[in-house]
Amino acid sequence: MILVAAIVAAEWLRNPRPVVAWAEWGCAVAAAALLFGRGFRANALALLLALLALTITLSQRRFSAIERRWPQERESRVTAASQHLQGDLHAALGRADRLAEIAAHISAKDRAAAFHELQRITPGGRPEMGVVIFDADGGPWAWAGRHRLAPEVNGDSIAARASGYYVVLEARRHSPDGRTAVASVLIWAHAAVPEHGSLAEKFRARTDVALAVYPEGAAPDSPDVFDYVEPTTAGPRLLFSVQPVPPEQGAAKELAYHRSSRIVTWLVLPVFALGLTIAETAAERFLLLALLLWVAVRAPLGPALDLQSLFSPATFFRPVLGPISSSAGVLGLTGTLFSMAGVWLWGRKLPRRWYTVILGALLLFISPYLISELGRGITPPARGVSLGLWLTWQLALLVSVSALIVGAAAFFRGNGPESHTRWRIVAGVTIAFAAAVIGTLVWNPRAGWPEWYTFLWTPALLLVTLPAPRWAAISGIALVAGSSAALVTWGAELSGRVQVAQRDIARLGTEPDPLALPLLERLGDEARHSTPPASASELYALWHGSSVGHQGYPAHLALWSSRGELRDELTLDSLDLPSPLLGALVRDLAAQDTMRVVQLNRVPGVHYVLLVRVDSAAVMTAAVGPRTELILPGRVGRLLDPSRHRAPLYTLTLAPPAEEGSPEPSRIRWRREGWSLHSESPVLLDTTTRAVHAEIDLRGPVPLFVRGVLVVLLDAAALAFFWFLAEFIVGARVR
């Protein structure tokens, strides 16, 4: 049953197809097992299988409905959303009204106590709420919660306020001593606002239907528009209008698949866990683990488990082992399985024969070359490497090399009396640590490590795989494998940083960007067919929602009069485009032209300027430069995108133009100078060749040593855990 369930689940996760017949058959088998199962675990397993089959069946029917009857599905979604919308809005207003009523009656004697009481009564979560108490003079006296728009003391008892980024519903209550309490609830926030908890976002997460909120009188003429009217002191009044916006057909199917795949994945995992407890022999348990590995290789488990970076080939990919080395997650699972298989062989005390010695020697010979080859699959993201991602790479390499070392130790152990000699383990670990230190000193950015360096690890590998007590074998193998995995990960990360820096340098100079031009033209079409932006905030909203805004280009946005006078600007990054130059481009835009993209050779590379005539008297410009560390973000850009504060993988500096008669810089390969890497490359800027200096900081020996010790200790704990897990799976007594 588990085999059938795994095959159906893996194939469905990989590519949802009509597997309804398989799923219904699985339901029948699971129901029979539930009736005739022996014991609680068997019944629980059968119930999980039935739920798994039922989930796949219902999900497949939902996909079929979206594909074949999308107009009816879309209409039903809008109808259901409209039915819930009135209740959600009324409930939000009710919470704001109750909050304002309680706040208005808070004692005015102790201001500190008022802050504490407001903090206690203001609900957290979604939708966001805030409350403020104004004194009799109209000044804020106490407050709590989040306020997206500055509260105002004057206004109706129920009011709606809107800006280009927010729509807020407010309730006001007055106290007998002249104070005013204003409670607000966030109804809608623009997509450019990070980490907002609006009612519209909560509604979209629950119903898959987004909400477009319009101020009074601005809603389009559509039957889907819902006018939110609430009674006020002057009678019923329209506060704002809401239009449900269902997802497109492809997006609806993607959302349905993502949710269903998460449920299916979280059902498959306990199925395997129960199967391990029910299996009677070690062979059956290892077969289940191998089946789980096959599911991980076959199915996209990363998105379902929210572990995209762990199972993504974008951060790790090496075709040397086929699909097994397609991601760090799959490689780690494979290495763990084979490491536990090696522990099982080690515990069986195989007789020492000439062929077992040859097999062990072959595994030891392969291990340093395999880990070096796998290390080349590490690809650091351009925005930096987090500690979690670095440990993911390192642990995946650890279990991969441990599988070979533990297997070699199992072949070398023999079935004779247990050896109590520990000096070999101590000597092997000492040699491994010395080799790791030497490795950090001799590594260079051109070829990594010298050819002779691999042989330094041979004595350490041989000594820790010779017969030794159990704890000594665990410690020795873990420390040697951990130090080698940490060293290879360190070198592979540096090689990846070198490659990212080289790609950055390649984008400089006069080389055009083939992606920037069509993306800017698409932005121009969006600007011409939408409401004309009238301020810097509206420019940012348009930019943030565009395709070019998601590509990480350094940008400068501005609004001009048709005569080239600057009205408003948003300097996201420090581009080499002075205002007089942009003003001249605006003045040169012909009256009959509505859009044009100009290519300019500037420093440090090709810049593109989009000019769009948004109305008869205004022109919008959107300029982008090459994606390089040489262009620094502006103060506003750093504020709007805090993720750009991460430590860069490298630093670039541009040398000043050479004086006439000076030799042109020649291309120099990367070189190591102490604990930093350097390179100078010539770049042609307009008619002048200038040198770009790249530097990568290796952080020095002390931080590297501290980090290495901590990582190796973590590796020892991880390998000990896998060792005990393997003993549990094979049924041995865990000591």
Side-chain angles (χ1 to χ4, degrees):
M1 290 190 299
I2 296 179
L3 176 62
V4 173
I7 293 175
V8 173
E11 292 301 317
W12 185 87
L13 286 170
R14 186 179 65 88
N15 183 20
R17 297 182 298 178
V19 293
V20 176
W22 286 59
E24 291 175 347
W25 181 82
C27 284
V29 173
L34 184 61
L35 292 175
F36 300 99
R38 297 180 179 179
F40 172 77
R41 289 179 296 177
N43 292 339
L45 177 61
L47 179 61
L48 286 175
L49 290 173
L51 290 176
L52 176 63
L54 182 62
T55 301
I56 294 178
T57 303
L58 296 179
S59 300
Q60 192 62 49
R61 291 179 178 176
R62 189 178 301 114
F63 297 156
S64 299
I66 294 175
E67 288 180 347
R68 300 175 184 177
R69 301 187 303 274
W70 174 241
Q72 295 86 344
E73 280 288 314
R74 183 184 184 279
E75 184 64 26
S76 65
R77 288 171 183 246
V78 173
T79 302
S82 300
Q83 293 173 353
H84 290 90
L85 185 58
Q86 171 72 19
D88 288 357
L89 291 173
H90 189 73
L93 178 60
R95 287 195 294 269
D97 189 50
R98 288 192 298 272
L99 182 60
E101 183 70 24
I102 296 174
H105 291 85
I106 290 179
S107 174
K109 296 180 180 180
D110 190 346
R111 191 177 186 185
F115 272 101
H116 179 74
E117 182 65 15
L118 289 180
Q119 185 70 29
R120 187 186 65 82
I121 65 175
T122 303
R126 296 183 178 183
E128 290 180 6
M129 296 188 68
V131 61
V132 60
I133 300 176
F134 293 94
D135 57 23
D137 297 329
W141 184 72
W143 55 87
R146 300 192 71 172
H147 302 271
R148 297 288 182 168
L149 297 179
E152 296 180 354
V153 64
N154 298 318
D156 294 333
S157 59
I158 299 175
R161 300 173 56 211
S163 68
Y165 288 90
Y166 305 106
V167 174
V168 173
L169 194 60
E170 292 181 340
R172 288 176 176 82
R173 291 293 180 268
H174 303 278
S175 65
D177 55 1
R179 295 180 303 155
T180 302
V182 181
S184 61
V185 56
L186 182 62
I187 300 298
W188 173 86
H190 193 276
V193 179
E195 299 179 0
H196 64 83
S198 65
L199 183 142
E201 180 62 23
K202 179 181 178 182
F203 189 84
R204 185 200 61 78
R206 192 180 75 222
T207 64
D208 293 340
V209 176
L211 298 179
V213 183
Y214 302 95
E216 180 182 358
D221 186 11
S222 172
D224 295 338
V225 173
F226 169 77
D227 293 329
Y228 183 55
V229 179
E230 282 289 344
T232 62
T233 55
R237 182 166 62 88
L238 173 64
L239 297 179
F240 50 81
S241 300
V242 182
Q243 182 180 17
V245 182
E248 298 294 334
Q249 184 177 9
K253 186 174 180 180
E254 184 68 23
L255 285 172
Y257 169 69
H258 180 71
R259 290 175 178 167
S260 301
S261 64
R262 178 175 298 180
I263 297 175
V264 169
T265 301
W266 284 110
L267 285 174
V268 167
L269 295 179
V271 164
F272 280 101
L274 277 175
L276 288 175
T277 62
I278 293 175
E280 298 179 353
T281 64
E284 292 177 350
R285 298 188 186 100
F286 275 109
L287 180 61
L288 284 175
L289 290 176
L291 188 59
L292 178 61
L293 174 62
W294 178 83
V295 172
V297 172
R298 189 72 174 171
L301 296 184
L305 298 175
D306 289 331
L307 298 173
Q308 287 87 344
S309 60
L310 183 60
F311 289 91
S312 172
T315 57
F316 183 91
F317 177 79
R318 196 66 180 171
V320 62
L321 298 179
I324 291 177
S325 57
S326 60
S327 68
V330 174
L331 180 64
L333 290 176
T334 306
T336 301
L337 176 60
F338 280 95
S339 295
M340 291 192 296
V343 173
W344 174 62
L345 287 176
W346 189 89
R348 289 177 61 87
K349 291 188 176 182
L350 300 175
R352 190 182 297 118
R353 299 287 189 267
W354 64 269
Y355 53 84
T356 60
V357 175
I358 292 177
L359 287 175
L362 183 62
L363 291 178
L364 289 185
F365 176 77
I366 293 175
S367 58
Y369 295 98
L370 177 64
I371 192 173
S372 177
E373 180 66 24
L374 292 175
R376 295 188 177 96
I378 293 176
T379 306
R383 285 203 166 189
V385 179
S386 63
L387 179 60
L389 182 58
W390 196 95
L391 289 177
T392 296
W393 294 331
Q394 199 270 338
L395 290 175
L397 295 181
L398 166 72
V399 293
S400 301
V401 71
S402 296
L404 301 180
I405 299 177
V406 174
F411 288 130
F412 289 160
R413 186 182 187 192
N415 58 352
E418 187 71 62
S419 173
H420 296 282
T421 303
R422 292 179 173 84
W423 69 266
R424 292 194 296 262
I425 301 298
V426 176
V429 171
T430 303
I431 294 174
F433 285 175
V437 172
I438 294 173
T440 61
L441 298 176
V442 302
W443 184 89
N444 67 84
R446 298 185 185 180
W449 288 281
E451 293 292 337
W452 54 264
Y453 176 71
T454 304
F455 297 101
L456 292 183
W457 290 89
T458 304
L461 294 172
L462 180 60
L463 289 172
V464 297
T465 53
L466 292 177
R470 175 172 171 270
W471 268 109
I474 295 175
S475 304
I477 294 174
L479 295 176
V480 172
S483 57
S484 63
L487 181 67
V488 170
T489 305
W490 174 78
E493 182 201 357
L494 290 180
S495 298
R497 292 165 69 178
V498 168
Q499 294 175 6
V500 173
Q502 289 176 342
R503 289 195 295 268
D504 188 329
I505 295 173
R507 289 191 288 265
L508 305 178
T510 58
E511 187 69 23
D513 188 334
L515 187 62
L517 181 60
L519 289 179
L520 283 176
E521 291 177 345
R522 187 181 304 176
L523 173 64
D525 292 335
E526 295 173 359
R528 289 191 296 121
H529 294 91
S530 61
T531 303
S535 63
S537 61
E538 295 179 2
L539 281 175
Y540 180 71
L542 178 64
W543 172 264
H544 187 274
S546 65
S547 300
V548 64
H550 295 160
Q551 296 298 322
Y553 284 98
H556 176 276
L557 311 175
L559 283 173
W560 307 78
S561 69
S562 57
R563 297 191 301 272
E565 299 170 348
L566 182 63
R567 292 183 175 178
D568 206 350
E569 67 175 340
L570 185 62
T571 305
L572 298 177
D573 299 275
S574 304
L575 299 182
D576 182 28
L577 294 172
S579 296
L581 175 60
L582 294 176
L585 294 177
V586 171
R587 289 190 295 271
D588 292 341
L589 183 65
Q592 64 274 14
D593 290 343
T594 58
M595 183 180 70
R596 189 175 66 174
V597 178
V598 179
Q599 176 178 329
L600 301 173
N601 290 330
R602 305 293 295 178
V603 176
V606 177
H607 289 53
Y608 296 88
V609 181
L610 168 70
L611 299 101
V612 181
R613 193 176 298 279
V614 293
D615 58 39
S616 58
V619 176
M620 181 194 86
T621 61
V624 299
R627 290 172 287 188
T628 173
E629 291 291 334
L630 283 175
I631 298 180
L632 301 177
R635 288 179 296 176
V636 177
R638 289 193 297 268
L639 177 65
L640 295 176
D641 188 5
S643 63
R644 300 179 70 174
H645 286 283
R646 295 180 181 177
L649 297 176
Y650 53 91
T651 57
L652 298 181
T653 54
L654 189 63
E659 298 180 358
E660 187 175 354
S662 301
E664 293 186 355
S666 59
R667 183 171 298 275
I668 302 177
R669 294 182 178 180
W670 285 87
R671 66 188 185 278
R672 178 172 179 174
E673 297 179 0
W675 292 95
S676 61
L677 307 179
H678 299 268
S679 175
E680 287 82 22
S681 301
V683 174
L684 180 62
L685 299 177
D686 198 5
T687 59
T688 305
T689 301
R690 299 172 65 176
V692 176
H693 177 78
E695 180 180 357
I696 297 178
D697 184 18
L698 304 186
R699 301 178 183 175
V702 175
L704 190 62
F705 173 77
V706 173
R707 184 172 184 175
V709 170
L710 294 176
V711 168
V712 170
L713 292 177
L714 174 64
D715 295 338
L719 187 58
F721 171 76
F722 293 141
W723 194 292
F724 299 151
L725 183 61
E727 291 181 348
F728 171 77
I729 289 175
V730 300
R733 182 174 63 89
V734 179
R735 294 171 290 169

